[in-house]
Amino acid sequence: MIERGKQQFPYLDLRVKEGPEIALPDASMDAVILFAVLTCIRTNEEQKELLAEIKRILKPQGILYVNDFLLNTDERNLLRYDKYKDTYGVYGVFELAEGAVCRHHEEAWIKQLLADFSELEYNHLTFTTMNGNQSKGFYFIGQLNHLQ
């Protein structure tokens, strides 16, 4: 996806995060965009680590945009959430036939994860996934509250 993005938008600074740290200085970014990133991170701890790094690199009052997936209630998703909950230890994590491991989120977890940001906007969405299925989702726009 990064290579595709670089081809389509060569003026954007698109990167893959390697290791626990984001290779940027403290308070150096005006905004961070997470588009279907949390769905690729299985554990709560790894998600918290990512948000800590984002808070580190954002300037005071920096903006975070998150667009991602919520838990679904259709039979197909309920079956796969149940199938993999013991394997991964988190309800909502599942495997795709292509080998990818993905996560859909409880809304309460998303709110907790993003609690250090003042919510400017939060809305529910319905996505069509890369496999052509409908999925519940959300987008969040928040401003970093450095007065913690």
Side-chain angles (χ1 to χ4, degrees):
M1 294 301 289
I2 294 292
E3 289 308 314
R4 180 178 169 187
K6 285 179 179 180
Q7 289 173 7
Q8 290 181 317
F9 307 101
Y11 51 88
L12 292 178
D13 181 6
L14 302 174
R15 306 171 186 207
V16 174
K17 180 177 162 288
E18 303 285 346
E21 296 176 1
I22 297 173
L24 293 167
D26 293 358
S28 61
M29 295 288 109
D30 293 311
V32 172
I33 298 171
L34 298 180
F35 193 87
V37 171
L38 297 177
T39 196
C40 300
I41 303 173
R42 296 185 289 233
T43 70
N44 290 354
E45 194 56 42
E46 289 173 306
Q47 289 186 357
K48 286 189 229 178
E49 289 169 6
L50 174 62
L51 266 289
E53 274 296 287
I54 289 169
K55 289 184 285 188
R56 180 187 66 77
I57 66 168
L58 275 175
K59 292 178 181 176
Q61 307 305 307
I63 299 295
L64 174 64
Y65 175 86
V66 181
N67 187 307
D68 224 300
F69 295 96
L70 294 171
L71 290 175
N72 291 280
T73 56
D74 61 284
E75 183 178 1
R76 179 179 67 87
N77 277 299
L78 293 176
L79 289 172
R80 63 187 185 175
Y81 299 158
D82 284 336
K83 179 178 179 179
Y84 293 104
K85 69 181 177 188
D86 292 333
T87 303
Y88 294 104
V90 177
Y91 185 78
V93 176
F94 57 93
E95 296 178 7
L96 296 177
E98 298 85 0
V101 178
C102 299
R103 179 177 179 179
H104 293 169
H105 299 86
E106 293 182 21
E107 195 160 37
W109 169 248
I110 293 299
K111 297 283 187 164
Q112 180 182 341
L113 187 64
L114 302 175
D116 290 336
F117 292 84
S118 298
E119 183 179 305
L120 303 176
E121 196 163 337
Y122 182 93
N123 285 300
H124 292 120
L125 304 166
T126 300
F127 299 114
T128 300
T129 68
M130 64 183 182
N131 291 330
N133 298 302
Q134 296 295 298
S135 185
K136 293 180 181 180
F138 71 96
Y139 77 88
F140 168 89
I141 302 171
Q143 188 170 41
L144 184 57
N145 179 4
H146 272 287
L147 305 174
Q148 302 167 30

